[in-house]
Amino acid sequence: MKLNNKGTVPVYTIAGAETARPLPEWLARKRKRSLKKDAEYANRVELLQDFEFEEASSCVRVSEDGEWVMSTGTYKPQIHTHYLPHLSLSYARHTNALNQKFVLLSSDYSKSLHLQSDRFLEFHTPGGLHYSTRIPRYGRDLIYNRRTAEALVPAVGVNADENGEVFRLNLEVGRFMKGYEVDVGGDDMNSFGGGALQGGINTGAVNCAAIADQSHGLLAFGTSIGTVEFWDSRSRNRVSVLGPPNSASEMDLDSRPEITALAFHQSGLNLTTGNSRGIVRTYDLRSPVPLLEKSQGYDDPIRTLSYLDSPLSSSKILSADKKGIKLWEAESGEYWTGIEPVVDLNHVEWVPDSGMLLTANEGRQQHAFFIPQLGPAPKWCAFLDNLVEEMAEDENDPNAFKSNGTSAGEVYDNYKFLDMKQLRELSLDHLIGTTNLLRPYMHGYFVAQKLYEQARLLTNPDLAEQQRQRSIQEKIDKERESRIRGSKKVAVKVNRKLAEKLAAQEEAHQRRKAQRVLKQGGDEPQAAAKEEEEVVEKPVEKGLLDDRFKDIFENEDFEIDEESREFAMLNPSTVPNAAAPKKRGLTAVEEEDMDEGRKGSSDEDEESEDEAPARPLRKPHEFDDSKGRIGSTSYKKSGKQRQERGPTMRVSSSTQNARPQQGKNRSFGDLASSLPNRQRRSGGAGLGDDRPFGEKEITFEPSKPQKKNHRRAQGNGDGGGDDNGRKVSRGKERRSASGNVFRRM
């Protein structure tokens, strides 16, 4: 892909002469034998296989379904059909005469009608030539009216009524109908645009035709006298005539502006005309005064006119002559972009709903241009969008589109281009015209690269030493800059530690590089320097100097959280508390128990303010071990309760003989072993039947949350309760053998 222009709208040449290096002919012949060693030739990519002709191409069309491209050319006269999904040539077919124009009658390539230069109309199918018929006079253009199934052929010359003709071939009936008679100036050589002989000078003709097939179906015919006649196909009558803007008396007969191209807008209200002087005019059908008037700039006849309804931008007008292509804004008429190929153009075809343009031109290769701002790439070559984006991101790509519209130039591999001033400086001007070592090209000469280097050394023998000293001095200056810059503090808003770390790496790299250069005497191997630069310098450059990563050190949203778990895993040595266990949240069961504890405490406070709050029952995994340590679950739970509930106020009285809770921090096994033997045999405090110790059965009966205090009084087998269901506490001299409430009924 080559960047074709330097304007604000980039145009890429996908196929054509500009995709390869424009080598002179003598150089191309010389290098034919070494093409297999040429990396560019070996890695070449063709958009369409064999999208070319031996001599030139005359017309190109894209099918309605967007999957076929048919083109005609010479030499020998032939037809090429490409299947776009496969990007390949489907078939090539030869014809008896040169093709002037052709139209596709079906949505694909299967039916096509061709206007030949020998006055024949040929119908082609996939099997070959289907039928051919001959017209009375030479045709200039060819269009197809789908509403009436008629092929219209504007022709040169006049009939017996001194009028030009547009032949009508009805494809449904299969015969010629009475043609449209268009005024082209008469039958004499003195009148404006007259002349009846087909091959005579100043012969009148109907040059072009257009049809508004997407709207009202009006027909327009452009003549050699500069007029445009409008015909209605339903009544087969002339509707109106659009004359030239200037009067006929003020115009020269030898340079009269003929209408050479016509195009209707899809709305049917606007018409664009192009004449033989390269003037493009836009009309509203309701007014004979042109809305816009633009010049192509080359004074050559307009060959192609069309409206481009782009999906990405406003409507455009495409006008093309043999020198170039220009695109205009349809509303304002402002110049949008242009293309100037190296060969003459014969026809231009726009691929609908895309930014692709295909051309039929003089020269071997047909051209394909891609304009990203006009539309996306067609679906059969959608990869072009990715290629354009990658080229735009690569700053070193000379073919990429830059914001200022510039691109780097090209040089030949084995030759150097020198002008006369440079030849005199190298004392090579005496070789001009005496030897083939200097090849003339444009305003200078091509000189072999070896000869150019030898001439430079002879002219300046100290050139190599000067270049070596200059390279050493540049590296030393660079090392000094890095040393001075490294002593300063890095001025960034966020992530200062990361910036200082990258700056330290860069300084250390520059110091090692300078030491290596001094050890080697000033000559650093290119491979080692390149490898070191890719390994060390690129991360530093992209971290501190690249604009794409500047937000890391400026935007607070990109600040590194040094207390996060991810940072601790990536930098374990720099985080002091990296080994500290992370606090775990409560499970659903623990949260439910906590809620029950809260409800029970609220019920106790409502019953009696003098009553001391009893300790809730613990789960089996929450009991303390034999060494007095607290389990992790109970520890986290109690800490969570203290954090959520806060301090608890308790009311105590000196008259209340509260029993100290000696076993608060003891396990269940220790409490059971401390009981007397008599109490062990009796089953504790009613916790089971009279069985040997170690085989007790403990049963907990579920009850409602509001009866929690009463359940605790009944089932408190370790004697830890103070009142055992009573409001008056017992004395120390009397002990209860059981806390069963049925004994007090």
Side-chain angles (χ1 to χ4, degrees):
M1 295 174 62
K2 299 290 184 180
L3 187 64
N4 190 67
N5 64 347
K6 299 181 180 180
T8 57
V9 180
V11 179
Y12 293 91
T13 303
I14 308 300
E18 292 185 1
T19 56
R21 288 173 293 181
L23 298 176
E25 187 178 356
W26 59 269
L27 185 58
R29 290 196 303 267
K30 184 178 179 180
R31 296 187 60 183
K32 275 186 178 180
R33 297 178 181 178
S34 60
L35 283 178
K36 60 182 179 180
K37 299 180 180 180
D38 190 356
E40 181 180 352
Y41 182 81
N43 297 327
R44 70 189 187 279
V45 177
E46 295 182 357
L47 179 65
L48 291 176
Q49 175 195 5
D50 296 331
F51 194 55
E52 60 184 21
F53 289 89
E54 283 76 1
E55 187 66 27
S57 52
S58 57
C59 188
V60 59
R61 301 283 186 185
V62 179
S63 64
E64 186 178 350
D65 57 6
E67 294 186 352
W68 300 89
V69 168
M70 181 178 289
S71 53
T72 58
T74 187
Y75 180 80
K76 300 178 179 180
Q78 51 189 311
I79 301 172
H80 287 179
T81 302
H82 289 81
Y83 183 50
L84 296 179
H86 292 174
L87 301 177
S88 61
L89 180 65
S90 179
Y91 68 85
R93 180 181 302 158
H94 291 271
T95 58
N96 296 328
L98 298 178
N99 179 264
Q100 290 182 274
K101 292 288 181 67
F102 74 92
V103 293
L104 296 175
L105 303 179
S106 60
S107 60
D108 54 2
Y109 78 102
S110 58
K111 298 178 182 178
S112 60
L113 176 61
H114 300 257
L115 174 63
Q116 303 297 101
S117 59
D118 58 353
R119 294 193 295 161
F120 271 92
L121 289 176
E122 295 184 354
F123 295 86
H124 284 262
T125 61
L129 177 61
H130 178 70
Y131 181 75
S132 64
T133 183
R134 198 170 188 180
I135 56 179
R137 290 187 295 273
Y138 291 100
R140 290 290 183 89
D141 198 1
L142 174 65
I143 63 172
Y144 177 64
N145 189 357
R146 298 180 181 274
R147 301 186 179 187
T148 59
E150 291 180 351
L152 304 179
V153 185
V156 65
V158 295
N159 57 8
D161 298 331
E162 301 181 358
N163 292 322
E165 278 189 300
V166 177
F167 300 117
R168 296 170 52 208
L169 177 59
N170 193 303
L171 304 185
E172 184 179 4
V173 180
R175 65 182 180 89
F176 282 97
M177 312 296 289
K178 179 177 176 58
Y180 298 116
E181 295 184 353
V182 181
D183 184 11
V184 295
D187 191 18
D188 58 318
M189 298 300 298
N190 296 326
S191 61
F192 183 74
L197 298 178
Q198 296 183 18
I201 302 176
N202 298 329
T203 303
V206 183
N207 293 328
C208 56
I211 179 173
D213 53 353
Q214 298 182 3
S215 54
H216 44 68
L218 200 63
L219 302 174
F221 304 110
T223 66
S224 58
I225 60 176
T227 60
V228 179
E229 293 192 5
F230 298 94
W231 287 70
D232 190 353
S233 59
R234 296 169 297 181
S235 61
R236 295 182 296 279
N237 292 326
R238 183 186 294 110
V239 177
S240 177
V241 178
L242 179 63
N246 297 327
S247 62
S249 60
E250 298 176 356
M251 308 180 69
D252 187 6
L253 293 177
D254 295 335
S255 60
R256 63 185 184 274
E258 302 180 6
I259 300 298
T260 57
L262 292 172
F264 273 104
H265 190 263
Q266 63 178 0
S267 64
L269 295 178
N270 293 334
L271 174 73
T272 301
T273 65
N275 61 19
S276 57
R277 292 183 179 178
I279 304 299
V280 178
R281 295 185 178 92
T282 302
Y283 291 89
D284 191 329
L285 295 185
R286 295 164 292 188
S287 174
V289 180
L291 300 176
L292 298 173
E293 183 173 335
K294 292 293 179 179
S295 175
Q296 193 75 3
Y298 300 104
D299 293 337
D300 291 322
I302 302 297
R303 299 190 175 185
T304 303
L305 273 179
S306 61
Y307 280 91
L308 308 183
D309 294 325
S310 171
L312 299 182
S313 61
S314 58
S315 180
K316 304 289 187 300
I317 297 177
L318 183 147
S319 61
D321 56 6
K322 69 176 183 179
K323 295 294 185 182
I325 305 171
K326 289 189 177 182
L327 278 76
W328 319 84
E329 294 287 349
E331 297 294 335
S332 60
E334 296 180 358
Y335 173 77
W336 193 59
T337 188
I339 308 171
E340 295 182 2
V342 295
V343 294
D344 292 344
L345 298 175
N346 294 326
H347 183 257
V348 180
E349 178 75 2
W350 175 56
V351 180
D353 299 330
S354 69
M356 180 74 68
L357 298 177
L358 305 178
T359 66
N361 49 264
E362 300 294 327
R364 183 180 181 89
Q365 294 179 333
Q366 293 183 252
H367 286 65
F369 302 101
F370 179 53
I371 307 176
Q373 296 185 14
L374 181 62
K379 60 181 181 180
W380 47 271
C381 58
F383 55 86
L384 293 179
D385 292 329
N386 297 331
L387 291 179
V388 171
E389 293 179 1
E390 292 176 1
M391 290 173 62
E393 293 177 357
D394 190 358
E395 298 179 355
N396 299 322
D397 193 347
N399 298 319
F401 174 72
K402 306 299 188 301
S403 59
N404 55 1
T406 60
S407 60
E410 298 176 343
V411 294
Y412 297 114
D413 293 337
N414 302 325
Y415 287 85
K416 179 70 175 178
F417 181 80
L418 301 175
D419 55 10
M420 288 299 300
K421 182 180 178 180
Q422 294 173 338
L423 286 175
R424 294 189 187 98
E425 292 176 355
L426 298 176
S427 301
L428 295 178
D429 54 342
H430 65 281
L431 299 177
I432 298 175
T434 60
T435 178
N436 58 358
L437 296 177
L438 300 182
R439 298 282 187 169
Y441 187 74
M442 296 181 68
H443 62 283
Y445 296 87
F446 277 109
V447 182
Q449 188 70 25
K450 294 182 179 180
L451 178 61
Y452 170 72
E453 294 175 356
Q454 292 176 0
R456 280 208 311 166
L457 290 176
L458 292 175
T459 305
N460 189 2
D462 300 331
L463 182 63
E465 185 65 23
Q466 292 176 3
Q467 184 67 23
R468 179 174 174 271
Q469 294 296 334
R470 191 181 302 110
S471 177
I472 295 175
Q473 188 64 31
E474 289 177 358
K475 293 176 182 178
I476 292 176
D477 294 341
K478 188 176 181 180
E479 192 273 337
R480 288 175 179 173
E481 275 185 7
S482 64
R483 182 172 63 250
I484 297 173
R485 184 172 59 251
S487 62
K488 298 180 182 180
K489 293 184 178 180
V490 181
V492 295
K493 295 181 180 180
V494 294
N495 298 329
R496 183 182 298 276
K497 292 183 180 180
L498 177 61
E500 292 176 353
K501 180 180 177 181
L502 295 177
Q505 291 179 0
E506 183 179 5
E507 181 182 358
H509 165 67
Q510 295 296 339
R511 188 180 297 107
R512 291 194 303 269
K513 191 174 181 181
Q515 291 176 359
R516 183 175 62 252
V517 171
L518 294 177
K519 286 182 181 180
Q520 297 177 358
D523 294 331
E524 182 182 4
Q526 297 295 331
K530 184 176 181 181
E531 182 180 358
E532 187 73 9
E533 180 181 359
E534 291 179 355
V535 174
V536 181
E537 283 188 355
K538 285 188 177 181
V540 177
E541 179 184 358
K542 289 188 177 181
L544 291 177
L545 303 179
D546 199 334
D547 293 338
R548 295 176 297 174
F549 303 96
K550 65 181 180 180
D551 290 343
I552 298 179
F553 305 103
E554 296 180 1
N555 194 348
E556 296 182 356
D557 295 338
F558 294 96
E559 185 176 2
I560 299 175
D561 186 9
E562 298 184 357
E563 298 181 358
S564 62
R565 181 173 177 271
E566 291 77 6
F567 183 82
M569 295 178 66
L570 295 175
N571 305 276
S573 61
T574 59
V575 182
N577 298 328
K582 186 178 179 181
K583 293 183 179 180
R584 183 178 63 86
L586 297 177
T587 62
V589 179
E590 293 173 352
E591 291 180 356
E592 183 178 356
D593 294 341
M594 185 186 300
D595 295 339
E596 292 180 359
R598 292 177 184 174
K599 293 180 181 179
S601 62
S602 62
D603 295 339
E604 291 175 4
D605 295 340
E606 291 177 0
E607 273 187 29
S608 174
E609 295 182 356
D610 298 337
E611 182 182 357
R615 180 169 55 90
L617 291 176
R618 296 181 179 176
K619 299 181 182 179
H621 65 275
E622 294 181 355
F623 283 102
D624 305 336
D625 56 4
S626 59
K627 296 182 180 181
R629 292 193 296 257
I630 301 175
S632 60
T633 306
S634 62
Y635 172 74
K636 294 179 180 178
K637 178 178 178 182
S638 61
K640 185 70 175 179
Q641 290 177 357
R642 287 196 299 269
Q643 182 179 0
E644 294 182 357
R645 297 177 57 184
T648 305
M649 181 178 294
R650 298 184 179 181
V651 180
S652 61
S653 175
S654 60
T655 61
Q656 183 179 1
N657 188 9
R659 185 176 179 180
Q661 298 180 3
Q662 300 177 357
K664 182 176 181 180
N665 297 328
R666 301 176 61 186
S667 64
F668 184 78
D670 293 341
L671 294 174
S673 62
S674 63
L675 293 175
N677 295 332
R678 182 173 56 83
Q679 193 171 357
R680 295 184 196 174
R681 289 193 300 269
S682 62
L687 296 177
D689 55 356
D690 192 4
R691 295 184 181 180
F693 179 77
E695 297 183 0
K696 300 287 184 181
E697 292 184 359
I698 301 174
T699 304
F700 296 96
E701 297 181 0
S703 60
K704 297 183 179 180
Q706 59 269 18
K707 297 182 181 180
K708 188 174 183 180
N709 296 333
H710 190 61
R711 187 179 70 245
R712 186 186 298 116
Q714 294 178 4
N716 191 2
D718 59 352
D722 294 336
D723 52 358
N724 290 327
R726 298 171 180 266
K727 294 186 178 180
V728 180
S729 61
R730 295 175 180 271
K732 294 184 178 180
E733 69 281 356
R734 183 179 180 182
R735 298 174 61 184
S736 176
S738 175
N740 195 342
V741 297
F742 292 100
R743 298 182 60 183
R744 294 188 289 273
M745 293 180 61

